[in-house]
């Protein structure tokens, strides 16, 4: 390592590059869920700074919008409305605090005991596949039962966006390989432009600079109980993210600043961002990929990235431009995205060599998948659990109560 400090302009440039890498995914979540893209950028910036304060700016990690919440947010908005959904998202941080407390009290192993791969895998698969129908509807140009965009145009544009994303993910090299979603959206947008599906009126009407339109959260118990178990997946993703960046940099961040501090930082960020109307944030794997590629391990780079994200949030024309992206473009991306999330769940089972010939494992996976994807709900008075929340709770309970069978020799 060089003894001379890096010039400020170069650190700032590295920060801008990190924002570029994280940008596509950060704004994709609000575009798919109906949340405000400007608030997503503001939330990512503020969330990253909160994380840095909690971890004494030791970890080179950037927080961006969490994909795990896409399907639950869409369902929650349809069921309870946007204010209740924002309140529920702010409360999703509860699980982070519990996890941070358990890690501080019992060590990292305790989390792995409650949430082994046989629990995490199927829950993550449900998060991906739970709203597969939404992706198909958007790709087909449908909003509910209404055909908003002509079917032939919609499906063609969705296919172009999907194909561009897949080809970039498979064939691209260098920095481009880190932003396949951004490439897919750009190519799909151009196709939609040629098909006459883009309306620029919103951009023309918007001022250059303006305060983002903040959300007003309401606290609805049913929505909160639905959303809290969704945080199981990003908490596990967080642990994986901290281990991944640690292996890239060559430091054990679970020891210093400590996994309890990183979980607390992530949880506080989710809490604060939810209260002003942004999507929940999580540690970004693509940023870890960029850190590995650039070999710049300075956490100050993430401070610059956060600062640039906050500045972008106040450019109103930019926020309006993002909202001109037609529905089929996002639908095409969602087909891959939701399937990829399900694929990560499957990979969790495969990596752990989970034996599905073992009746106990098969019972946990089967019940979790069918109750989650089927949208089963349990109602006791005003208390209800359904879909992802129900299957998450069931998976944890089944893993704790089903008897373990000794391996036959």
């Amino acid at each position: 390592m060089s003894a001379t400090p890096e010039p400020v302009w170069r650190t700032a440039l590295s920060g801008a590059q990190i924002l570029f890498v994280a940008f596509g995914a950060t704004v994709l979540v609000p575009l798919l869920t109906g949340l405000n893209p400007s608030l997503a950028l503001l939330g990512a910036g503020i969330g990253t700074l909160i994380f840095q304060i909690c971890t004494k700016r030791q970890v080179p990690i950037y927080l961006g919008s969490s994909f795990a919440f896409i399907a639950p947010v869409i369902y929650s908005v349809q069921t309870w409305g946007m204010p209740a959904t924002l309140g529920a998202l702010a409360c999703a941080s509860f699980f982070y605090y519990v996890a941070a407390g358990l890690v501080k009290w019992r060590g990292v192993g305790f989390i792995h005991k409650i949430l082994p791969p046989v629990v995490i895998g199927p829950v993550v698969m449900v998060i991906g596949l739970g709203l597969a129908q939404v992706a198909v509807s958007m790709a087909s140009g449908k909003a509910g039962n209404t055909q908003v965009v002509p079917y032939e145009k919609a499906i063609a544009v969705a296919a172009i966006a999907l194909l561009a994303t897949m080809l970039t993910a498979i064939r691209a090299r260098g920095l481009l390989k880190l932003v396949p979603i951004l490439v897919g959206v750009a190519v799909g947008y151009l196709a939609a432009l040629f098909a006459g599906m883009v309306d620029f009126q919103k951009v023309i009407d918007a001022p250059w600079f303006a305060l983002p339109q903040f959300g007003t959260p309401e606290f609805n118990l049913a929505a909160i109980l639905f959303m809290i178990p969704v945080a199981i997946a990003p908490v596990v993703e967080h642990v994986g993210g901290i281990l991944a960046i640690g292996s890239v940099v060559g430091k054990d961040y679970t020891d210093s600043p400590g996994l309890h501090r990183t979980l607390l930082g992530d949880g506080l960020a989710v809490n604060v961002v939810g209260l002003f109307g942004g999507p929940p944030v999580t540690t970004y794997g693509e940023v870890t990929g960029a850190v590995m590629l650039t070999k710049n391990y300075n956490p100050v780079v993430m401070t610059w990235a956060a600062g640039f994200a906050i500045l972008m949030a106040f450019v109103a024309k930019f926020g309006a431009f993002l909202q001109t992206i037609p529905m089929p473009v996002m639908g095409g991306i969602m087909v891959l995205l939701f399937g990829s999330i399900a694929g990560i769940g499957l990979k969790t089972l495969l990596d752990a060599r989970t034996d599905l010939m073992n009746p106990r494992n098969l019972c946990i996976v089967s019940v979790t998948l069918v109750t989650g994807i089927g949208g089963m709900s349990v109602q006791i008075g005003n208390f209800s659990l359904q879909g992802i929340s129900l299957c998450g709770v069931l998976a944890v309970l089944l893993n704790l109560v089903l008897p373990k069978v000794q391996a036959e020799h």
Side-chain angles (χ1 to χ4, degrees):
M1 275 176 68
S2 170
T4 54
E6 191 178 44
V8 172
W9 67 266
R10 194 176 289 173
T11 314
L13 198 63
S14 298
Q17 180 176 260
I18 289 295
L19 179 60
F20 177 74
V21 169
F23 178 83
T26 300
V27 299
L28 181 68
V29 174
L31 290 173
L32 295 178
T33 54
L35 294 165
N36 187 329
S38 296
L39 289 181
L41 284 164
L42 188 63
I46 289 173
T48 300
L49 295 178
I50 289 170
F51 179 84
Q52 288 202 325
I53 291 164
C54 289
T55 58
K56 303 174 184 174
R57 201 155 74 173
Q58 289 183 33
V59 192
I61 259 183
Y62 178 86
L63 302 188
S65 309
S66 172
F67 281 14
F69 286 89
I70 295 174
V73 166
I74 292 170
Y75 178 83
S76 181
V77 170
Q78 289 170 353
T79 312
W80 297 288
M82 185 60 81
T85 299
L86 294 177
L89 289 173
C91 293
S93 58
F94 172 78
F95 197 84
Y96 284 88
Y97 302 145
V98 170
L102 288 173
V103 168
K104 178 75 175 159
W105 177 44
R106 300 292 296 272
V108 183
F110 195 69
I111 292 290
H112 294 302
K113 189 180 177 184
I114 299 177
L115 302 171
V118 74
V119 169
I120 298 160
V123 170
V124 174
M125 288 169 78
V126 169
I127 287 170
L129 297 175
L131 278 185
Q133 189 56 53
V134 171
V136 172
S137 293
M138 284 179 73
S140 310
K142 276 187 172 179
N145 294 322
T146 314
Q147 192 74 44
V148 181
V149 181
Y151 176 78
E152 291 79 8
K153 275 187 179 181
I155 212 79
V157 166
I160 290 166
L162 175 60
L163 191 62
T165 309
M166 291 192 296
L167 288 174
T168 308
I170 296 164
R171 302 292 300 176
R173 294 285 173 267
L175 195 63
L176 208 60
K177 194 175 180 65
L178 297 172
V179 288
I181 291 171
L182 206 58
V183 172
V185 171
V187 173
Y189 192 86
L190 285 172
L193 207 57
F194 281 114
M197 289 160 59
V198 181
D199 179 13
F200 285 114
Q201 196 56 49
K202 268 188 181 176
V203 184
I204 295 162
D205 294 344
W208 273 103
F209 298 99
L211 267 174
Q213 191 70 45
F214 290 100
T216 49
E218 287 173 9
F219 297 97
N220 176 316
L221 187 61
I224 290 166
L225 291 171
F226 168 78
M227 203 63 77
I228 285 176
V230 175
I232 289 173
V235 162
V236 172
E237 184 188 359
H238 173 96
V239 176
I242 296 299
L243 293 172
I245 191 68
S247 66
V248 168
V249 178
K251 288 183 181 175
D252 183 6
Y253 292 120
T254 63
D255 179 46
S256 174
L259 189 63
H260 61 287
R261 279 185 173 276
T262 67
L263 279 165
L264 177 67
D266 205 342
L268 271 174
V270 168
N271 201 180
V272 171
V273 173
L275 286 173
F276 66 66
V281 289
T282 189
T283 52
Y284 258 24
E286 48 265 69
V287 167
T288 300
V291 169
M292 194 161 87
L293 199 72
T294 60
K295 294 188 168 47
N296 189 336
Y297 308 144
N298 186 355
V300 178
V301 168
M302 303 304 161
T303 311
W304 278 100
F308 287 135
I310 291 167
L311 285 175
M312 291 290 279
F314 293 92
V315 183
K317 274 206 188 297
F318 181 68
F321 171 72
L322 290 175
Q323 289 170 2
T324 65
I325 300 172
M327 186 204 307
V329 175
M330 306 319 287
I333 304 289
M334 279 169 94
V335 168
L336 180 63
L337 201 62
F338 284 5
S340 299
I341 293 168
I344 290 165
L346 186 59
K347 183 179 180 293
T348 304
L349 292 173
L350 293 173
D351 286 353
R353 299 178 184 273
T354 306
D355 180 12
L356 291 181
M357 295 302 286
N358 178 325
R360 181 181 185 276
N361 291 343
L362 189 62
C363 287
I364 296 169
V365 172
S366 305
V367 171
T368 306
L369 287 174
V370 172
T371 52
I373 295 171
M376 183 180 279
S377 67
V378 171
Q379 184 117 15
I380 304 159
N382 290 328
F383 173 81
S384 76
L385 279 176
Q386 54 210 323
I388 294 160
S389 54
L390 178 63
C391 84
V393 171
L394 273 177
V396 171
L397 289 177
L398 288 173
N399 178 59
L400 293 174
V401 302
L402 289 181
K404 286 188 167 72
V405 181
Q406 292 296 319
E408 293 175 19
H409 294 291

